[in-house]
Amino acid sequence: MNERVETGDSYWMRTASLPSFGPLRGEAEADAVVVGSGIAGLSTAWELARAGRSVVVLEADRLAGGVTGHTTGKLTALHTTAYHGLRETHGEDAARRYAASQSAALRHVVDTAGELGIDCALERRPALTYCQEADGVEALRAEAAAARAAGLDASFVTESGLPFPVAGAVRVEEQAQFHPLAYLGGLVDALVVRGGRIHEGTRVTGLDERVDEPRPCRLTTDTGATVSARHVVVATHHPVLDRTLLAARLTQHRDLVIAGSVPARLDPEGMYITKEGGKRSVRTAPLPDGSRLLIVTGEVFQPGTGQDTEAGYARLEDWAGRHFPGFALTHRWAAQDNAATDDLPLIGRMPGRGGNVYVATGFAGWGMTGGALAGMIIAALVDGAEDPWEGLYDPGRVGSVLRTAPELAKAQWDTVKHAVKDRLDSLGDAAEAVRALRPGGGTVVRSGGRPCAVHRDDRGGLHAVSAVCTHLGCLVAFNPAERTWECPCHGSRFGTDGRILQGPALQPLERMDPEEL
């Protein structure tokens, strides 16, 4: 493993020129407040501002610094093997609406980039889902047929641009790849010109729904500031302000990502993905010197389960080096995605929150089209129009949830298992475990009857926080590559000092005194 390349910000974040904005102070009013500044939040804010509404965007950390900032930047309606499953679970009409909506979102991003003159390295490329093993061929033939029936220009092929043979692949032409943060930078500029207000470093902590028109919603924040608005959009990956626990219908996973330069002649000229071998997703992006940035994703794991992430990165680098000679690692990072248990994103009015609170989540790793689609749907609903895709993504849907009850039950059992079983398991002797802790490591111990998360930094100093996630009380686990504490139940992530890195938790982990361990 190349020790000089540390896990951190993505290539997109290191090469984007996004403006910065100060925290919200005092009181504010707007027609709409958007919570979260990833592609779903900023796409929605832009659509609302373009329709003439006043908009405030609140971001807990920095612009697009969450899921969107760590994506691979694919814009495609081919989502691995989604269509065969959608047809089986939801019916042919649902699969057609899914294909039409995802394709419309792709076109909308391309059109918006052209309309606003955004230079975001957008390239039209085919998307392929492939397999190398012969036993995967029939499933891909079925997926190609299902995708064609849904309306995509899909075909089954046995050749690709990859530097190794494939047994088969589903291929869809005229998809796209881009620099996602460059695109969002263009949206931000256009939003500000339209009067949109953006505030970073402002975490929303509560929502008070009132009956006094025309501002029935009042958001409170950790800065002490408040915002009153007619409409509230929650676009925070895992939804905050979740009164009906949509979290119970979402599962979490993280993907490791590596990137590095390869000669232009090795560009496979497409976007590729396979479920084989712990998943491999491949695309390239242009570099200033004419070479290509190879981006490889895979080694999927559930956050908070103690996965050996360093070994996962090593496997990805070995895979890239074997298949793309001359690959030179320059970046590595990790992405986190969630998926609804019935395989459809949740976009629309949030259940249990009246009619003026909206949510966008559950994109299952396809958030570039999903986020743009969220902006289109929510803007239509705010405008009083009908959902153009007839409620396919309605968070309040019941039928499809009931049809996938076993998946929902498994997700809930996993949460219960971690919330209850982990507390009953023995955590070992605190003093002995802390003495054995090497620099850069972390462990969970019991101290004074309380679960405690302990990290030893590179200088040997100890940092201790409560190991109880502030969302719903599950125990966190340490991720050694990213040096974070992660919750296995709903994916909240915390720094070694307890600060929130990713929700749905709204409060940091309580700090503890390492001297008392």
Side-chain angles (χ1 to χ4, degrees):
M1 190 71 182
N2 190 338
E3 297 296 337
R4 293 174 299 173
V5 178
E6 297 182 354
T7 305
D9 288 342
S10 69
Y11 170 79
W12 317 121
M13 296 180 70
R14 293 185 183 181
T15 57
S17 298
L18 293 175
S20 59
F21 300 89
L24 178 67
R25 304 295 182 190
E27 298 181 357
E29 287 191 357
D31 294 329
V33 177
V34 177
V35 186
S37 69
I39 190 168
L42 290 176
S43 293
T44 304
W46 164 243
E47 299 298 333
L48 293 172
R50 183 163 63 172
R53 298 184 183 276
S54 59
V55 180
V56 171
V57 177
L58 301 179
E59 166 56 48
D61 193 1
R62 55 177 169 161
L63 281 178
V67 177
T68 299
H70 296 84
T71 180
T72 53
K74 296 180 180 181
L75 286 162
T76 175
L78 181 65
H79 297 169
T80 318
T81 54
Y83 289 96
H84 184 263
L86 286 172
R87 187 168 65 175
E88 294 294 310
T89 304
H90 301 280
E92 292 188 5
D93 181 61
R96 284 192 292 269
R97 282 183 284 153
Y98 186 89
S101 59
Q102 298 293 326
S103 297
L106 189 162
R107 291 192 300 271
H108 191 65
V109 171
V110 173
D111 291 346
T112 300
E115 172 192 339
L116 298 177
I118 303 174
D119 180 7
C120 56
L122 194 147
E123 300 173 316
R124 301 307 294 264
R125 295 288 178 95
L128 294 92
T129 300
Y130 72 93
C131 69
Q132 291 183 268
E133 303 296 331
D135 59 5
V137 168
E138 287 308 308
L140 291 188
R141 287 188 184 276
E143 179 64 15
R148 279 196 306 275
L152 294 184
D153 182 16
S155 59
F156 177 81
V157 299
T158 55
E159 295 183 353
S160 77
L162 290 168
F164 50 81
V166 300
V170 184
R171 181 181 178 114
V172 176
E173 304 291 345
E174 284 299 295
Q175 306 301 284
Q177 56 190 27
F178 70 152
H179 190 310
L181 267 59
Y183 173 75
L184 291 187
L187 286 192
V188 166
D189 291 343
L191 176 63
V192 171
V193 167
R194 293 268 184 167
R197 291 166 286 169
I198 301 173
H199 296 280
E200 297 175 288
T202 306
R203 184 177 300 278
V204 170
T205 56
L207 169 61
D208 176 23
E209 293 170 272
R210 301 172 296 172
V211 296
D212 53 324
E213 299 288 345
R215 298 284 187 261
C217 299
R218 182 173 179 269
L219 290 168
T220 55
T221 71
D222 63 351
T223 67
T226 62
V227 187
S228 296
R230 172 71 175 169
H231 303 278
V232 174
V233 180
V234 179
T236 55
H237 177 60
H238 220 88
V240 298
L241 313 174
D242 182 10
R243 176 178 291 170
T244 55
L245 294 182
L246 289 177
R249 292 163 53 190
L250 295 169
T251 60
Q252 302 287 325
H253 70 271
R254 287 182 71 73
D255 290 43
L256 304 182
V257 187
I258 62 170
S261 62
V262 294
R265 59 182 172 80
L266 295 182
D267 183 2
E269 298 186 345
M271 300 173 288
Y272 300 87
I273 190 167
T274 181
K275 292 182 177 180
E276 294 176 343
K279 179 184 172 182
R280 292 292 182 267
S281 172
V282 179
R283 67 155 286 197
T284 66
L287 289 172
D289 64 0
S291 64
R292 303 290 294 187
L293 181 78
L294 179 72
I295 304 169
V296 181
T297 307
E299 299 298 321
V300 182
F301 65 98
Q302 183 182 348
T305 53
Q307 178 83 8
D308 186 349
T309 44
E310 287 291 353
Y313 279 118
R315 286 190 291 270
L316 284 181
E317 187 178 352
D318 176 71
W319 187 92
R322 283 188 290 109
H323 294 301
F324 295 86
F327 171 77
L329 181 71
T330 56
H331 302 79
R332 67 178 200 171
W333 67 91
Q336 183 156 313
D337 293 298
N338 58 27
T341 54
D342 65 351
D343 298 322
L344 287 170
L346 306 171
I347 305 171
R349 291 185 172 88
M350 182 181 282
R353 280 291 188 185
N356 292 347
V357 181
Y358 308 83
V359 66
T361 187
F363 300 124
W366 303 104
M368 297 300 97
T369 50
L373 178 63
M376 299 164 71
I377 291 175
I378 294 174
L381 295 176
V382 168
D383 197 44
E386 293 294 324
D387 179 346
W389 288 282
E390 303 172 14
L392 178 66
Y393 303 103
D394 181 7
R397 60 184 180 262
V398 176
S400 62
V401 174
L402 294 177
R403 287 194 296 273
T404 55
E407 290 80 4
L408 176 60
K410 181 182 184 304
Q412 292 177 328
W413 164 244
D414 286 344
T415 297
V416 171
K417 177 179 67 176
H418 290 293
V420 178
K421 180 179 178 297
D422 289 357
R423 287 175 174 275
L424 298 177
D425 289 345
S426 173
L427 295 179
D429 178 70
E432 181 180 346
V434 171
R435 281 196 300 270
L437 194 59
R438 300 176 64 85
T443 188
V444 176
V445 298
R446 193 175 299 279
S447 176
R450 300 178 61 194
C452 180
V454 186
H455 165 67
R456 189 183 296 279
D457 63 31
D458 289 335
R459 296 182 178 181
L462 290 177
H463 307 266
V465 294
S466 169
V468 179
C469 177
T470 56
H471 179 225
L472 291 178
C474 298
L475 295 190
V476 299
F478 192 64
N479 179 332
E482 297 176 86
R483 299 195 180 186
T484 55
W485 296 107
E486 300 177 348
C487 176
C489 293
H490 302 109
S492 293
R493 301 174 62 244
F494 306 86
T496 54
D497 59 358
R499 72 188 188 281
I500 302 171
L501 301 178
Q502 193 160 7
L506 295 177
Q507 301 296 328
L509 297 177
E510 178 187 351
R511 294 196 183 193
M512 301 177 70
D513 186 353
E515 298 297 326
E516 297 181 0
L517 298 177

PDB file of all heavy atoms in Angstrom, residues 208-227:
ATOM      1  N   ASP A 208     -40.387  23.224  14.454  1.00  0.00           N
ATOM      2  CA  ASP A 208     -41.667  23.517  15.112  1.00  0.00           C
ATOM      3  C   ASP A 208     -42.675  23.859  14.022  1.00  0.00           C
ATOM      4  O   ASP A 208     -42.515  24.845  13.304  1.00  0.00           O
ATOM      5  CB  ASP A 208     -41.494  24.698  16.075  1.00  0.00           C
ATOM      6  CG  ASP A 208     -42.816  25.109  16.715  1.00  0.00           C
ATOM      7  OD1 ASP A 208     -43.727  24.264  16.765  1.00  0.00           O
ATOM      8  OD2 ASP A 208     -42.926  26.274  17.134  1.00  0.00           O
ATOM      9  N   GLU A 209     -43.686  23.011  13.893  1.00  0.00           N
ATOM     10  CA  GLU A 209     -44.730  23.268  12.900  1.00  0.00           C
ATOM     11  C   GLU A 209     -45.870  24.023  13.572  1.00  0.00           C
ATOM     12  O   GLU A 209     -46.491  23.531  14.509  1.00  0.00           O
ATOM     13  CB  GLU A 209     -45.226  21.954  12.308  1.00  0.00           C
ATOM     14  CG  GLU A 209     -44.178  21.249  11.468  1.00  0.00           C
ATOM     15  CD  GLU A 209     -44.605  19.853  11.085  1.00  0.00           C
ATOM     16  OE1 GLU A 209     -44.334  18.929  11.866  1.00  0.00           O
ATOM     17  OE2 GLU A 209     -45.206  19.682  10.013  1.00  0.00           O
ATOM     18  N   ARG A 210     -46.146  25.208  13.072  1.00  0.00           N
ATOM     19  CA  ARG A 210     -47.169  26.066  13.664  1.00  0.00           C
ATOM     20  C   ARG A 210     -48.331  26.233  12.689  1.00  0.00           C
ATOM     21  O   ARG A 210     -48.267  25.820  11.534  1.00  0.00           O
ATOM     22  CB  ARG A 210     -46.559  27.430  14.007  1.00  0.00           C
ATOM     23  CG  ARG A 210     -45.386  27.337  14.982  1.00  0.00           C
ATOM     24  CD  ARG A 210     -44.702  28.673  15.149  1.00  0.00           C
ATOM     25  NE  ARG A 210     -44.092  29.108  13.896  1.00  0.00           N
ATOM     26  CZ  ARG A 210     -43.554  30.321  13.732  1.00  0.00           C
ATOM     27  NH1 ARG A 210     -43.562  31.194  14.714  1.00  0.00           N
ATOM     28  NH2 ARG A 210     -43.017  30.654  12.575  1.00  0.00           N
ATOM     29  N   VAL A 211     -49.362  26.847  13.140  1.00  0.00           N
ATOM     30  CA  VAL A 211     -50.551  27.016  12.301  1.00  0.00           C
ATOM     31  C   VAL A 211     -50.701  28.440  11.795  1.00  0.00           C
ATOM     32  O   VAL A 211     -51.617  28.746  11.051  1.00  0.00           O
ATOM     33  CB  VAL A 211     -51.836  26.624  13.075  1.00  0.00           C
ATOM     34  CG1 VAL A 211     -51.809  25.157  13.414  1.00  0.00           C
ATOM     35  CG2 VAL A 211     -51.991  27.477  14.337  1.00  0.00           C
ATOM     36  N   ASP A 212     -49.786  29.322  12.194  1.00  0.00           N
ATOM     37  CA  ASP A 212     -49.922  30.723  11.784  1.00  0.00           C
ATOM     38  C   ASP A 212     -49.364  30.911  10.374  1.00  0.00           C
ATOM     39  O   ASP A 212     -48.173  30.933  10.157  1.00  0.00           O
ATOM     40  CB  ASP A 212     -49.233  31.669  12.776  1.00  0.00           C
ATOM     41  CG  ASP A 212     -47.786  31.268  13.023  1.00  0.00           C
ATOM     42  OD1 ASP A 212     -47.520  30.057  13.046  1.00  0.00           O
ATOM     43  OD2 ASP A 212     -46.938  32.161  13.181  1.00  0.00           O
ATOM     44  N   GLU A 213     -50.265  31.016   9.425  1.00  0.00           N
ATOM     45  CA  GLU A 213     -49.872  31.247   8.035  1.00  0.00           C
ATOM     46  C   GLU A 213     -49.276  32.656   7.904  1.00  0.00           C
ATOM     47  O   GLU A 213     -49.622  33.540   8.686  1.00  0.00           O
ATOM     48  CB  GLU A 213     -51.103  31.100   7.134  1.00  0.00           C
ATOM     49  CG  GLU A 213     -51.736  29.709   7.189  1.00  0.00           C
ATOM     50  CD  GLU A 213     -50.886  28.658   6.495  1.00  0.00           C
ATOM     51  OE1 GLU A 213     -49.964  29.032   5.742  1.00  0.00           O
ATOM     52  OE2 GLU A 213     -51.135  27.464   6.712  1.00  0.00           O
ATOM     53  N   PRO A 214     -48.439  32.945   6.914  1.00  0.00           N
ATOM     54  CA  PRO A 214     -47.995  32.011   5.873  1.00  0.00           C
ATOM     55  C   PRO A 214     -46.661  31.340   6.174  1.00  0.00           C
ATOM     56  O   PRO A 214     -46.019  30.841   5.273  1.00  0.00           O
ATOM     57  CB  PRO A 214     -47.874  32.925   4.653  1.00  0.00           C
ATOM     58  CG  PRO A 214     -47.355  34.209   5.239  1.00  0.00           C
ATOM     59  CD  PRO A 214     -47.993  34.328   6.607  1.00  0.00           C
ATOM     60  N   ARG A 215     -46.181  31.373   7.400  1.00  0.00           N
ATOM     61  CA  ARG A 215     -44.892  30.765   7.748  1.00  0.00           C
ATOM     62  C   ARG A 215     -45.118  29.702   8.825  1.00  0.00           C
ATOM     63  O   ARG A 215     -44.811  29.919   9.993  1.00  0.00           O
ATOM     64  CB  ARG A 215     -43.911  31.835   8.255  1.00  0.00           C
ATOM     65  CG  ARG A 215     -43.566  32.915   7.221  1.00  0.00           C
ATOM     66  CD  ARG A 215     -42.584  32.367   6.192  1.00  0.00           C
ATOM     67  NE  ARG A 215     -42.106  33.414   5.302  1.00  0.00           N
ATOM     68  CZ  ARG A 215     -42.581  33.643   4.082  1.00  0.00           C
ATOM     69  NH1 ARG A 215     -43.579  32.892   3.626  1.00  0.00           N
ATOM     70  NH2 ARG A 215     -42.072  34.585   3.323  1.00  0.00           N
ATOM     71  N   PRO A 216     -45.646  28.528   8.440  1.00  0.00           N
ATOM     72  CA  PRO A 216     -46.047  27.553   9.454  1.00  0.00           C
ATOM     73  C   PRO A 216     -44.913  26.711  10.021  1.00  0.00           C
ATOM     74  O   PRO A 216     -45.126  25.930  10.940  1.00  0.00           O
ATOM     75  CB  PRO A 216     -47.014  26.660   8.681  1.00  0.00           C
ATOM     76  CG  PRO A 216     -46.526  26.712   7.278  1.00  0.00           C
ATOM     77  CD  PRO A 216     -46.007  28.098   7.082  1.00  0.00           C
ATOM     78  N   CYS A 217     -43.692  26.844   9.484  1.00  0.00           N
ATOM     79  CA  CYS A 217     -42.576  26.029   9.952  1.00  0.00           C
ATOM     80  C   CYS A 217     -41.464  26.915  10.501  1.00  0.00           C
ATOM     81  O   CYS A 217     -41.122  27.939   9.894  1.00  0.00           O
ATOM     82  CB  CYS A 217     -42.014  25.182   8.804  1.00  0.00           C
ATOM     83  SG  CYS A 217     -43.200  24.016   8.094  1.00  0.00           S
ATOM     84  N   ARG A 218     -40.918  26.520  11.632  1.00  0.00           N
ATOM     85  CA  ARG A 218     -39.829  27.283  12.251  1.00  0.00           C
ATOM     86  C   ARG A 218     -38.713  26.317  12.619  1.00  0.00           C
ATOM     87  O   ARG A 218     -38.900  25.405  13.429  1.00  0.00           O
ATOM     88  CB  ARG A 218     -40.322  28.019  13.489  1.00  0.00           C
ATOM     89  CG  ARG A 218     -39.270  28.900  14.183  1.00  0.00           C
ATOM     90  CD  ARG A 218     -39.921  29.710  15.294  1.00  0.00           C
ATOM     91  NE  ARG A 218     -38.970  30.537  16.002  1.00  0.00           N
ATOM     92  CZ  ARG A 218     -38.295  30.154  17.083  1.00  0.00           C
ATOM     93  NH1 ARG A 218     -38.486  28.936  17.577  1.00  0.00           N
ATOM     94  NH2 ARG A 218     -37.442  30.984  17.669  1.00  0.00           N
ATOM     95  N   LEU A 219     -37.551  26.518  12.013  1.00  0.00           N
ATOM     96  CA  LEU A 219     -36.393  25.676  12.259  1.00  0.00           C
ATOM     97  C   LEU A 219     -35.480  26.324  13.281  1.00  0.00           C
ATOM     98  O   LEU A 219     -35.217  27.527  13.220  1.00  0.00           O
ATOM     99  CB  LEU A 219     -35.610  25.454  10.962  1.00  0.00           C
ATOM    100  CG  LEU A 219     -36.270  24.575   9.898  1.00  0.00           C
ATOM    101  CD1 LEU A 219     -35.516  24.701   8.594  1.00  0.00           C
ATOM    102  CD2 LEU A 219     -36.317  23.134  10.341  1.00  0.00           C
ATOM    103  N   THR A 220     -34.977  25.521  14.215  1.00  0.00           N
ATOM    104  CA  THR A 220     -33.971  25.987  15.165  1.00  0.00           C
ATOM    105  C   THR A 220     -32.629  25.359  14.790  1.00  0.00           C
ATOM    106  O   THR A 220     -32.565  24.284  14.188  1.00  0.00           O
ATOM    107  CB  THR A 220     -34.341  25.605  16.600  1.00  0.00           C
ATOM    108  OG1 THR A 220     -34.565  24.183  16.670  1.00  0.00           O
ATOM    109  CG2 THR A 220     -35.601  26.321  17.031  1.00  0.00           C
ATOM    110  N   THR A 221     -31.538  26.040  15.155  1.00  0.00           N
ATOM    111  CA  THR A 221     -30.204  25.594  14.767  1.00  0.00           C
ATOM    112  C   THR A 221     -29.252  25.628  15.946  1.00  0.00           C
ATOM    113  O   THR A 221     -29.537  26.248  16.977  1.00  0.00           O
ATOM    114  CB  THR A 221     -29.639  26.481  13.644  1.00  0.00           C
ATOM    115  OG1 THR A 221     -29.322  27.766  14.191  1.00  0.00           O
ATOM    116  CG2 THR A 221     -30.644  26.652  12.499  1.00  0.00           C
ATOM    117  N   ASP A 222     -28.102  24.996  15.757  1.00  0.00           N
ATOM    118  CA  ASP A 222     -27.115  24.977  16.837  1.00  0.00           C
ATOM    119  C   ASP A 222     -26.387  26.301  16.994  1.00  0.00           C
ATOM    120  O   ASP A 222     -25.630  26.492  17.954  1.00  0.00           O
ATOM    121  CB  ASP A 222     -26.109  23.844  16.614  1.00  0.00           C
ATOM    122  CG  ASP A 222     -25.282  24.008  15.345  1.00  0.00           C
ATOM    123  OD1 ASP A 222     -25.597  24.899  14.535  1.00  0.00           O
ATOM    124  OD2 ASP A 222     -24.324  23.228  15.158  1.00  0.00           O
ATOM    125  N   THR A 223     -26.600  27.249  16.097  1.00  0.00           N
ATOM    126  CA  THR A 223     -26.013  28.576  16.250  1.00  0.00           C
ATOM    127  C   THR A 223     -26.927  29.509  17.035  1.00  0.00           C
ATOM    128  O   THR A 223     -26.560  30.653  17.313  1.00  0.00           O
ATOM    129  CB  THR A 223     -25.735  29.210  14.873  1.00  0.00           C
ATOM    130  OG1 THR A 223     -26.982  29.473  14.203  1.00  0.00           O
ATOM    131  CG2 THR A 223     -24.874  28.301  14.010  1.00  0.00           C
ATOM    132  N   GLY A 224     -28.127  29.011  17.365  1.00  0.00           N
ATOM    133  CA  GLY A 224     -29.115  29.841  18.036  1.00  0.00           C
ATOM    134  C   GLY A 224     -29.998  30.606  17.082  1.00  0.00           C
ATOM    135  O   GLY A 224     -30.963  31.261  17.497  1.00  0.00           O
ATOM    136  N   ALA A 225     -29.700  30.541  15.794  1.00  0.00           N
ATOM    137  CA  ALA A 225     -30.506  31.226  14.785  1.00  0.00           C
ATOM    138  C   ALA A 225     -31.764  30.421  14.475  1.00  0.00           C
ATOM    139  O   ALA A 225     -31.823  29.205  14.704  1.00  0.00           O
ATOM    140  CB  ALA A 225     -29.690  31.432  13.510  1.00  0.00           C
ATOM    141  N   THR A 226     -32.771  31.087  13.934  1.00  0.00           N
ATOM    142  CA  THR A 226     -34.011  30.420  13.538  1.00  0.00           C
ATOM    143  C   THR A 226     -34.407  30.879  12.136  1.00  0.00           C
ATOM    144  O   THR A 226     -34.030  31.962  11.685  1.00  0.00           O
ATOM    145  CB  THR A 226     -35.162  30.750  14.502  1.00  0.00           C
ATOM    146  OG1 THR A 226     -35.412  32.172  14.477  1.00  0.00           O
ATOM    147  CG2 THR A 226     -34.835  30.316  15.920  1.00  0.00           C
ATOM    148  N   VAL A 227     -35.149  30.005  11.451  1.00  0.00           N
ATOM    149  CA  VAL A 227     -35.674  30.333  10.133  1.00  0.00           C
ATOM    150  C   VAL A 227     -37.142  29.945  10.095  1.00  0.00           C
ATOM    151  O   VAL A 227     -37.503  28.829  10.477  1.00  0.00           O
ATOM    152  CB  VAL A 227     -34.942  29.593   9.004  1.00  0.00           C
ATOM    153  CG1 VAL A 227     -35.423  30.107   7.645  1.00  0.00           C
ATOM    154  CG2 VAL A 227     -33.449  29.739   9.123  1.00  0.00           C
TER     155      VAL A 227
END
